[in-house]
Amino acid sequence: CRADKQTKAPPEAINKLVCLLLLPRIWEHPGSACPRTCLCWAGDVDCRQRALHEVPLLLPTNASALWLGYNLITMLGARSFPSLPVLLRLSLPHNRLEKIHRQALLGLGALQELDLSDNYLSVLSPETFLPLTSLSVLNLGYNRLEELEAGVPRALPQLQAIFLNGNPWMCSCSILPLWRWLGHNREKVPGECPGECVPTPPPSLNTYPIMAFGNDSFQQCQKVPLSAQHYAAFLLIGPFSFLASIFCCTLIGSVVVVYQHLRKEPQTWRSPIQPDPECL
């Protein structure tokens, strides 16, 4: 008898077949779950131009870059992202972001680059950026920021570059904290002009570079305004001091009257008794 010849598949074809069979199982693992609307490869998660209204719930924990630009996201609520311990870059440009919760970026401690440009942000809290202890690049360009608390860049100890251009900064006392910070950290703002402000009220369409202002321009802003507590103290101290002054004046007057009365009485006691002329 002659044994039939058996054909063997090439090793390369077997390896490709095994990879194709195992690939779906890899993404089914909780640590590597890729959102259905996104593309994932080599640590990058691309969710751009997907008409997303919020951050996807399932994200691979080994993601190093997350691209969420050109979507419809309006808000980042508390803990909008799962814990992503190795995420280095988060890109959210060209959305409709109006608000970022103070705890929205928790779990992103390794983040180094954050792009929030071309959104509708008008207010930012320094507490929002406290978890980002490794952030080195922050892009806030082309939002609706009229002022920026100095605590925002100060909350980022590793910050090397912050983009501020394209915001409608107001030429008022509200930009004093930003002006002071820029004076000591000009090298961290790329470009020749870190930003221009619009006069308030706007007499014209002209804008002025923020760093063109001098210390004299903010003299009226550096006066410490009276707070509500100060006014309340004045309202309490005023009537109290008035009543106290009346009491003191009354007390002093009474003491003077008593003193004069006591001073006259001894003279009356010591005066000699004059006899009645009719009795003589």
Side-chain angles (χ1 to χ4, degrees), residues 159-173:
L159 185 65
Q160 298 180 5
I162 179 171
F163 296 87
L164 301 171
N165 55 308
N167 284 284
W169 308 108
M170 300 302 295
C171 299
S172 63
C173 294

Side-chain angles (χ1 to χ4, degrees), residues 167-172 196-208:
N167 284 284
W169 308 108
M170 300 302 295
C171 299
S172 63
E196 296 183 345
C197 61
V198 180
T200 175
S204 64
L205 299 177
N206 296 329
T207 58
Y208 302 91

Side-chain angles (χ1 to χ4, degrees), residues 15-61:
N15 292 335
K16 292 181 180 180
L17 180 61
V18 172
C19 291
L20 292 175
L21 292 175
L22 293 179
L23 186 59
R25 297 181 178 272
I26 293 176
W27 289 115
E28 290 176 1
H29 191 276
S32 302
C34 184
R36 295 181 179 179
T37 57
C38 306
L39 298 176
C40 304
W41 73 94
D44 280 17
V45 181
D46 190 353
C47 304
R48 288 174 290 188
Q49 297 181 343
R50 303 292 178 176
L52 298 176
H53 288 83
E54 59 182 9
V55 179
L57 296 177
L58 296 178
L59 292 170
T61 56

Side-chain angles (χ1 to χ4, degrees), residues 19-255:
C19 291
L20 292 175
L21 292 175
L22 293 179
L23 186 59
R25 297 181 178 272
I26 293 176
W27 289 115
E28 290 176 1
H29 191 276
S32 302
C34 184
R36 295 181 179 179
T37 57
C38 306
L39 298 176
C40 304
W41 73 94
D44 280 17
V45 181
D46 190 353
C47 304
R48 288 174 290 188
Q49 297 181 343
R50 303 292 178 176
L52 298 176
H53 288 83
E54 59 182 9
V55 179
L57 296 177
L58 296 178
L59 292 170
T61 56
N62 61 345
S64 58
L66 177 57
W67 309 87
L68 290 166
Y70 298 91
N71 281 293
L72 305 174
I73 302 174
T74 59
M75 175 182 176
L76 294 180
R79 296 185 178 274
S80 293
F81 302 87
S83 180
L84 301 174
V86 296
L87 186 68
L88 302 178
R89 184 170 186 177
L90 175 59
S91 181
L92 281 158
H94 294 279
N95 275 273
R96 299 179 181 178
L97 276 177
E98 297 180 357
K99 183 178 179 181
I100 300 180
H101 193 275
R102 296 181 178 182
Q103 298 181 349
L105 303 178
L106 291 177
L108 306 180
L111 197 65
Q112 296 181 3
E113 298 183 21
L114 175 59
D115 188 355
L116 298 172
S117 62
D118 292 279
N119 279 286
Y120 302 152
L121 296 172
S122 59
V123 178
L124 290 174
S125 171
E127 297 181 8
T128 303
F129 301 92
L130 289 177
L132 308 181
T133 55
S134 301
L135 194 71
S136 59
V137 179
L138 175 60
N139 192 345
L140 298 175
Y142 297 96
N143 276 276
R144 296 180 177 178
L145 297 171
E146 296 183 356
E147 59 183 83
L148 183 67
E149 294 187 37
V152 172
R154 289 175 183 170
L156 304 170
Q158 303 298 326
L159 185 65
Q160 298 180 5
I162 179 171
F163 296 87
L164 301 171
N165 55 308
N167 284 284
W169 308 108
M170 300 302 295
C171 299
S172 63
C173 294
S174 61
I175 65 167
L176 179 58
L178 176 60
W179 177 80
R180 285 176 174 172
W181 184 86
L182 289 173
H184 296 87
N185 301 274
R186 178 63 184 85
E187 72 283 355
K188 295 183 180 180
V189 185
E192 297 181 358
C193 182
E196 296 183 345
C197 61
V198 180
T200 175
S204 64
L205 299 177
N206 296 329
T207 58
Y208 302 91
I210 295 178
M211 296 310 299
F213 294 96
N215 191 44
D216 296 339
S217 303
F218 295 98
Q219 284 185 353
Q220 61 179 0
C221 305
Q222 298 177 6
K223 297 179 180 179
V224 180
L226 295 178
S227 62
Q229 296 179 351
H230 290 95
Y231 287 109
F234 290 149
L235 291 176
L236 294 176
I237 294 175
F240 177 79
S241 60
F242 176 73
L243 295 175
S245 62
I246 294 177
F247 175 78
C248 291
C249 292
T250 304
L251 180 62
I252 294 174
S254 301
V255 171

